[in-house]
Structures are given as C-alpha cells and as structure tokens.
Amino acid sequence: MARLSERLGDLRASPVRAMLAASQQPEMISFAGGLPDADSFSDLDIPAPPRHLLQYGPSEGEADLRAHMAGELRALGIDTEADRVLILSGSQQGIDLVAKLAIDRGTGLAVESPSYLAALQVFRFFGASFQVLDRTDPAAGWAASPPAVAYVTPTFQNPTGSCWTAAERAGLAAACAAHEVILFEDDPYRDLVYDPCDRRPVCAGADGSWIHQGSFSKTVAPGLRLGFLTASPDLFPHLLALKQAADLHTNRFAQWSVLQILQHPGRAQRMARVVSAYRRKRDLFAEALDRELGGLARWEVPVGGLFFWVRLPASVDVEALHRRALARGVLFTPGDHFLTAPDPSAGGAMRLNFSAAPPDRAAEGLAILGALIREG
Ligand SMILES: Cc1ncc(COP(=O)(O)O)c(C=O)c1O
C-alpha cells in the first residue's frame, strides 16, 4: 500500500474538473465552469515567439512583461514597481503560493461564503480554519482572533458576481492594516465590466501586508495559463522563493505572446468588442432567466464578471436538481461547493455561467431548469 501524505486527506476531488469533463460532451448545455466565450480569443493574431525563449528563464517572469504590468497596476493606484511583479502560471498558482506562504494546519483565514471554490479547495488542503467574512463589518471577531489572511474577490466575485462598494473596500483595507492581517485580493474579472461601478482595488494605497493578483485567462485566453501578482515588500521575496520552488518559472512563450497582445495598438478596441459581446450575452441571459425562472428563484443581474448566482427556495433539493438536469443535458454548479460550511436550512443556489453557451442554447437550458424546478 503506497504511503501518501496526511495532507491528501484534505484534498477533495475537484468538482470543477468532473463537471468540465461532463461539459465537453457535444450536446451538453453547460452553465458550469468559468469558461470565457471561445469567440473572444478565436481571432487573436499571435506571432511566433523568438527561439531564444526556449531557454530557461527568470523565476520572476520576463522583464518586459513585468515592467508593463507594473505600469498597469500603478495606473490602478497600486503602489508597485517592476521588481515586485511576479508572473504566474495562471492566477490559480497565486492562491497556491499564498497558502504555502501563510497557512499551517489551523491557521485562521477570512473568506466570504460563498467564495471561489478552487481557492477554498487549496486553503482547505493546507489546513486553513475558515472565518466567514462579512464585508459590511470585516473586522467582526478579529480583536479576539485575527485571521492570518483575508482572501477576497471584491470586483465581480466568483460565484455571486457582486461588486463591493467603495466604503466596503476602504473598511477591509483599514481592518487588515489595523489587525496585521494579510490582505489577499484576487482580481481576475476586473476588465469584464458591463455597468458603471466602483472598482478601485482594495490594495490601492493599502498599508501593511498585501497581495494583489490578476489573470489573463478572461481577457486573453485561459489555455495560455498566465497570471500575475504584486505584493507588499515584506511578502514579495517569500512569494518569489515559493514560485521558484514550485515550477522554476512561467512558460516564456506564453509570456511573450501576452505581451504582444497587451502592446498591440488595437488592444483597447478588441477589449471593447469582447466586453460588449459579454454584456449582450448577460442581458439575453437575464431576459431568459426572467422568462423561465421568474417567481421560482432570486438573483441579481451582475455588473461584471461571468456568473449569475441564482438562489433557490429551501424546498428545492439542489443536488437532485443537478442530477436531473444533467440527465436532460444541462449542467450547472451547485451553490454548496462555494460555501465554507453548507447550511441546509438556508436554501440552495446555482452558479450559472452565461459566457460559454450560445444565447439560444442558454435559453433552452434555462427552460429545462425552470421546468425541472416546477416539476419539483
Ligand atoms: C476568483 C478566481 N481566482 C482565480 C481563478 C484562476 O484563474 P486562472 O488560473 O485561469 O488565472 C479563477 C478562475 O476562474 C477565479 O474565478
């Protein structure tokens, strides 16, 4: 019998991987996963990278990409410079590095519930003890037991799509500084904005220890597996050492390709096209939801990001609905996966991604969900 690490006991098989596999079936209407619309990258014109990039490279990332990102982050108000930017193999890697940086078994970690499920999975794996964060009163309970880290996605949260107010952002930054809590802001959806809202990063002007990370998965292409982070000077050297130990460095071809896209003169126009296509999809999805699930469920139309968070009455068995929907060719992510501790009495939820399925197929899928809920 192979002897495996104790940690492995805390690693639950990712429900996302299983669902992504199911969503590959050709006739499946998938609202699961966070897949960008394939049309958003189908016309990307990526030249062949120079051959010298086939050699090993720096763990920090390519110097020109780091310099470019430092400029973009400063424009958002974040106090950084090129030598405090770390290029990641996807922003999922940033979550892994931060967990290694700060989490031992039993370490307190503040998160909203619901929160991004693959982050909860990593934090659980490292033994984090979750404290549920209330964004309207983030420091509640911190005087007695401050967490080591507060992990948040204030701008178009996954799964709820919600966007924090300026006061909530300022409140969290102040609470983290006052209680010496590492502020970890995960920000992959910031550019997918459909209506005016406050998006100033919580880390902009933050005192104390902080980490801000972003991704090219939603704005360029997820298959490139490229993200980035910047951090306060006390944390950055540790994160860099952890990155080096994890994979030496991020794929150099992908870094070069993304830099070409970032520096392309047509970049702003391309992003405007992508955002406007997503806005239209969101609006069509909202109309179909009204038509098919009106009166059966509750949701808010997200101002950005890729998801609707649809709350169901406690009378709906969400796991059973998930199975019945799958049998009818419709896939969604049950809300419990995003919770630190599911509460059966609170009523369930579904996370519905609106970006991947074509609008007519999405409407068909929502009609099936509506019929299944009505059938009970
Ligand atoms: C909140 C959040 N963080 C991080 C990630 C990881 O993204 P990636 O590794 O593709 O950059 C995702 C992906 O959906 C996400 O929703």
Side-chain angles (χ1 to χ4, degrees), residues 90-108:
S91 62
Q92 186 66 29
Q93 182 175 49
I95 297 169
D96 191 66
L97 299 183
V98 173
K100 288 173 176 166
L101 174 80
I103 308 297
D104 291 313
R105 187 161 292 281
T107 302

Side-chain angles (χ1 to χ4, degrees), residues 34 89-93 95 116 151 153 158 186 188-189 213-218 222 225-227 307:
S89 300
S91 62
Q92 186 66 29
Q93 182 175 49
I95 297 169
Y116 173 46
Y151 167 77
T153 305
N158 178 1
D186 191 8
Y189 298 102
Q213 71 167 18
S215 173
F216 298 110
S217 289
K218 318 294 175 183
R225 305 306 308 124
L226 213 67
F307 306 107

Side-chain angles (χ1 to χ4, degrees), residues 25-253:
Q25 296 168 24
E27 286 311 305
M28 189 66 72
I29 302 173
S30 180
F31 302 131
L35 270 56
D37 187 336
D39 285 350
S40 70
F41 46 76
S42 58
D43 62 346
L44 277 177
D45 184 15
I46 307 180
R51 303 289 109 174
H52 74 266
L53 295 178
L54 289 169
Q55 190 50 274
Y56 282 118
S59 296
E60 298 86 331
E62 299 299 313
D64 40 9
L65 180 58
R66 297 174 75 208
H68 182 97
M69 290 319 300
E72 294 211 351
L73 289 162
R74 275 197 301 271
L76 294 175
I78 295 178
D79 169 23
T80 191
E81 50 216 322
D83 64 7
R84 263 194 295 126
V85 173
L86 180 61
I87 306 297
L88 301 165
S89 300
S91 62
Q92 186 66 29
Q93 182 175 49
I95 297 169
D96 191 66
L97 299 183
V98 173
K100 288 173 176 166
L101 174 80
I103 308 297
D104 291 313
R105 187 161 292 281
T107 302
L109 184 135
V111 280
E112 285 192 284
S113 184
S115 262
Y116 173 46
L117 69 87
L120 295 182
Q121 188 193 28
V122 174
F123 295 137
R124 260 192 204 110
F125 177 68
F126 283 92
S129 165
F130 293 128
Q131 306 178 5
V132 176
L133 181 94
D134 174 359
R135 72 172 79 162
T136 62
D137 185 12
W142 287 10
S145 70
V149 180
Y151 167 77
V152 288
T153 305
T155 306
F156 319 137
Q157 204 235 20
N158 178 1
T160 61
S162 69
C163 189
W164 291 31
T165 64
E168 288 164 350
R169 288 165 192 262
L172 179 66
C176 286
H179 294 272
E180 298 187 346
V181 173
I182 297 174
L183 166 59
F184 181 20
E185 181 174 29
D186 191 8
D187 202 11
Y189 298 102
R190 118 167 343 268
D191 293 328
L192 303 184
V193 53
Y194 315 126
D195 301 319
C197 57
D198 201 303
R199 288 182 295 151
R200 183 174 162 79
V202 178
C203 288
D207 292 323
S209 301
W210 54 267
I211 301 151
H212 176 95
Q213 71 167 18
S215 173
F216 298 110
S217 289
K218 318 294 175 183
T219 51
V220 182
L224 289 168
R225 305 306 308 124
L226 213 67
F228 55 90
L229 68 71
T230 183
S232 52
D234 56 327
L235 300 183
F236 189 84
H238 301 300
L239 289 163
L240 173 55
L242 286 164
K243 164 75 182 168
Q244 202 163 16
D247 65 356
L248 301 185
H249 66 76
T250 297
N251 181 312
R252 300 183 79 189
F253 270 28

